[in-house]
Amino acid sequence: MFQAAAKTLSVAATTSSVSRGVLVSVRHYCRRTPATLRVSEALSAAKLGENVKVKGWVRSVRPQKANLFLHVNDGSSLQSLQVVASSELNDLLLTFGSAVEVTGTLRKSPHQKQPVELEADQIHVVGECNPVDFPFKIKERHGLEYIRQFPHLRCRTNAFSSLLRIRSEATSAVHSYFKENGFVQIHTPVITSNDCEGAGELFQVEPPLPENEEDEKFFFSVPAFLTVSGQLHLEVMSGAFSRVYSFGPTFRAENSQSRRHLAEFYMVEAEVSFTQSLEDLTKVMEDMFRSATEHVLAHCAEDVDLFHKHVTPGHRDTVEAMLKKRFPAITYSEAIDILNRSSQKFAFPTDWGCDLQTEHEKYLVKHCGNVPVFVTDYPYDLKPFYARDNQDHPAHTAAAVDLLVPGVGELCGGSLREERMDLLRARLEELGLEDTYSWYLDMRRFGSVPHGGFGMGFERYLQCILGVDNIKDVIPFPRFSHSCLL
């Protein structure tokens, strides 16, 4: 029944009356070559009355005695294009999930729910689909957890195709924000010899060496890893550019299958020169968050609504509240005090000097009105070597900041960078890193300026604005421990 060869379905008769005034005639074939439109272009009604061709996948098939109704989608829009054809064009190959090319005349639709419809005179089945074996069923709304089992097919669903359009638009919005604010994009390397975070959660990169080179210990002559952050490379560039950013993949060899961690994810990172104020960094974080979110809400309204209505009902109110209010800021010490005065019982300790855990972060967000909140001035020992020492003895904190957001916890993390040579050298010597980072000290010797920067997890940002609980549902191909499908 489901053969490999594609099949063209067309009307052979010279004239054939179809209900609702659809007339199919051989005269159609005498017209000039039809314009090929994306579904979104067809739905804009710019080509009404013209002979056009649309290519896509069948989302529904409804045969009737005289007519055949299809809905076709090509990923350019959440809304599908209705196709009306003679029942003579119906065929067993034309099923839910099959790929088709449809040629016909674009007409205004008599139904209010759709602006146009395509009166088909030819349907070409490009790729067959057996609906019995296809894991997604017509007229059935599948949950994100279910479709996650099929990373090679889940883009065919409404929810995930909406997510991918939102992700694409959010990517453009981030780039637009930085371009409009004078940042230069830097392509930082994926393979690096440094561990920026100092946590040791690194994937080592080492190809098999030829037999005659077995004496060579490393391919790059030094240990090399997949990057955990482009920050240090951005710091290099901040010695010549006052504002730089990067947006690319980063990696953590963290043995976690939690709802908020991935082994491969995307990071937005920025570095600003000539600043000695955390407020300069928090302003960029907040402005970028607002700009990107407003852009997504404006340009992906239907797709975002799908999530806020059917996937995460009520989350739209949370997003609107985040955009209406300025983000408050509290110090780490104030945060610890808030946690210790809480009646809530936490699984992790809340002593001064302890790192904040997800449960603490989410509580702090709710305490501050369920809007994003900045936490500043963390204990110095919790932060990497490059964080600027506040020299506020006996507390001894670093000029570091995290942005905590509803439903997720930490979204952004950043700091002012230590530009004072004596303090930086002492810190590296204390950690036994003075040889490894001798080049970093060089940057402080030649035209160094006070600077700072931050990183934002892009997938966590999408979780935040859409209300998605599991980070694996906002990235096309999730990688995590014990899972690397495709």
Side-chain angles (χ1 to χ4, degrees):
M1 183 182 295
F2 295 93
Q3 303 168 2
K7 184 173 181 179
T8 300
L9 312 169
S10 60
V11 174
T14 302
T15 58
S16 173
S17 296
V18 182
S19 65
R20 298 176 61 224
V22 180
L23 181 64
V24 181
S25 168
V26 293
R27 289 194 302 271
H28 285 298
Y29 304 110
C30 299
R31 296 179 181 177
R32 60 184 176 83
T33 303
T36 299
L37 301 182
R38 291 179 296 151
V39 166
S40 60
E41 293 171 327
L43 292 172
S44 71
K47 299 284 186 179
L48 275 179
E50 296 188 23
N51 191 232
V52 301
K53 179 185 288 185
V54 170
K55 305 174 183 180
W57 292 265
V58 176
R59 291 293 179 87
S60 71
V61 185
R62 184 161 53 92
Q64 293 185 348
K65 185 175 182 180
N67 290 341
L68 172 68
F69 293 89
L70 306 176
H71 280 95
V72 176
N73 195 290
D74 64 354
S76 62
S77 167
L78 175 61
Q79 188 175 352
S80 297
L81 175 66
Q82 177 164 285
V83 175
V84 184
S86 164
S87 59
E88 296 175 48
L89 295 182
N90 197 7
D91 188 273
L92 291 177
L93 296 179
L94 200 57
T95 63
F96 171 61
S98 60
V100 296
E101 290 182 0
V102 184
T103 305
T105 304
L106 205 58
R107 303 289 188 193
K108 184 175 181 179
S109 174
H111 297 289
Q112 294 182 347
K113 291 185 178 181
Q114 54 196 31
V116 299
E117 61 188 24
L118 183 60
E119 294 178 354
D121 52 51
Q122 189 178 77
I123 301 174
H124 175 60
V125 179
V126 179
E128 304 165 25
C129 178
N130 185 337
V132 176
D133 297 332
F134 195 44
F136 310 128
K137 305 306 177 186
I138 192 169
K139 294 183 179 180
E140 188 172 333
R141 184 172 289 125
H142 302 284
L144 295 180
E145 189 170 352
Y146 173 77
I147 68 173
R148 197 189 309 144
Q149 302 173 75
F150 310 98
H152 56 302
L153 294 173
R154 64 176 176 170
C155 58
R156 309 284 187 91
T157 65
N158 278 344
F160 206 72
S161 61
S162 285
L163 178 279
L164 293 176
R165 282 188 294 271
I166 292 168
R167 185 182 173 101
S168 177
E169 202 64 48
T171 300
S172 297
V174 168
H175 284 299
S176 294
Y177 169 80
F178 283 118
K179 183 177 180 180
E180 291 166 5
N181 286 276
F183 284 78
V184 175
Q185 183 181 7
I186 304 295
H187 293 122
T188 56
V190 171
I191 299 176
T192 179
S193 60
N194 69 70
D195 176 10
C196 176
E197 298 294 319
E201 297 165 346
L202 299 163
F203 288 105
Q204 188 160 354
V205 177
E206 203 57 53
L209 292 175
E211 291 183 6
N212 60 347
E213 296 183 20
E214 287 182 351
D215 293 338
E216 291 288 335
K217 190 174 181 181
F218 300 111
F219 179 86
F220 293 104
S221 298
V222 295
F225 312 95
L226 295 179
T227 183
V228 298
S229 170
Q231 178 208 311
L232 297 184
H233 298 95
L234 287 182
E235 283 200 63
V236 170
M237 298 301 171
S238 70
F241 299 90
S242 60
R243 291 187 161 204
V244 291
Y245 83 100
S246 67
F247 190 166
T250 51
F251 306 85
R252 297 281 196 281
E254 187 175 24
N255 190 14
S256 171
Q257 297 192 37
S258 77
R259 295 174 178 269
R260 58 198 298 272
H261 293 101
L262 291 168
E264 178 184 359
F265 57 97
Y266 277 70
M267 185 93 88
V268 179
E269 298 183 272
E271 204 74 20
V272 179
S273 297
F274 301 99
T275 180
Q276 290 181 291
S277 171
L278 278 179
E279 291 182 359
D280 289 342
L281 301 184
T282 59
K283 184 179 188 306
V284 175
M285 291 185 205
E286 182 169 351
D287 288 350
M288 179 188 65
F289 182 95
R290 291 181 181 279
S291 175
T293 305
E294 288 168 356
H295 179 97
V296 168
L297 294 180
H299 291 81
C300 294
E302 284 187 322
D303 292 311
V304 173
D305 283 346
L306 181 146
F307 274 85
H308 290 169
K309 288 180 180 178
H310 302 298
V311 181
T312 55
H315 191 70
R316 182 60 179 252
D317 294 339
T318 301
V319 175
E320 290 179 350
M322 287 191 282
L323 296 177
K324 286 179 181 177
K325 300 178 182 178
R326 303 304 300 182
F327 300 172
I330 59 175
T331 66
Y332 169 88
S333 296
E334 290 171 333
I336 291 297
D337 185 55
I338 291 169
L339 295 172
N340 286 331
R341 286 190 284 108
S342 168
S343 59
Q344 181 171 323
K345 301 299 181 183
F346 298 106
F348 291 91
T350 56
D351 302 323
W352 199 99
C354 293
D355 207 355
L356 296 181
Q357 303 297 321
T358 303
E359 60 174 348
H360 305 145
E361 295 167 348
K362 290 183 175 181
Y363 179 87
L364 291 169
V365 169
K366 289 182 180 179
H367 177 85
C368 294
N370 208 36
V371 296
V373 56
F374 291 109
V375 178
T376 67
D377 302 311
Y378 280 79
Y380 185 71
D381 289 340
L382 291 180
K383 295 300 174 182
F385 68 88
Y386 49 73
R388 196 174 198 273
D389 190 341
N390 280 331
Q391 293 189 300
D392 51 349
H393 303 292
H396 201 191
T397 62
V401 57
D402 286 347
L403 176 61
L404 314 181
V405 296
V408 174
E410 181 189 348
L411 175 66
C412 299
S415 73
L416 298 179
R417 316 310 189 191
E418 185 59 80
E419 85 286 0
R420 295 163 292 188
M421 176 68 86
D422 57 337
L423 294 178
L424 181 58
R425 179 181 283 112
R427 179 66 164 159
L428 288 171
E429 288 177 355
E430 177 188 345
L431 298 173
L433 298 172
E434 64 272 23
D435 292 333
T436 304
Y437 290 98
S438 58
W439 62 269
Y440 194 78
L441 289 170
D442 267 358
M443 293 197 302
R444 302 304 187 263
R445 295 171 57 205
F446 305 113
S448 178
V449 300
H451 61 284
F454 69 91
M456 180 187 80
F458 186 59
E459 283 73 27
R460 289 190 183 183
Y461 167 73
L462 294 173
Q463 281 187 276
C464 174
I465 65 171
L466 297 177
V468 175
D469 184 51
N470 198 314
I471 197 169
K472 301 175 186 67
D473 297 323
V474 292
I475 191 169
F477 303 101
R479 273 82 172 93
F480 50 97
S481 62
H482 309 298
S483 179
C484 187
L485 299 177
L486 277 68

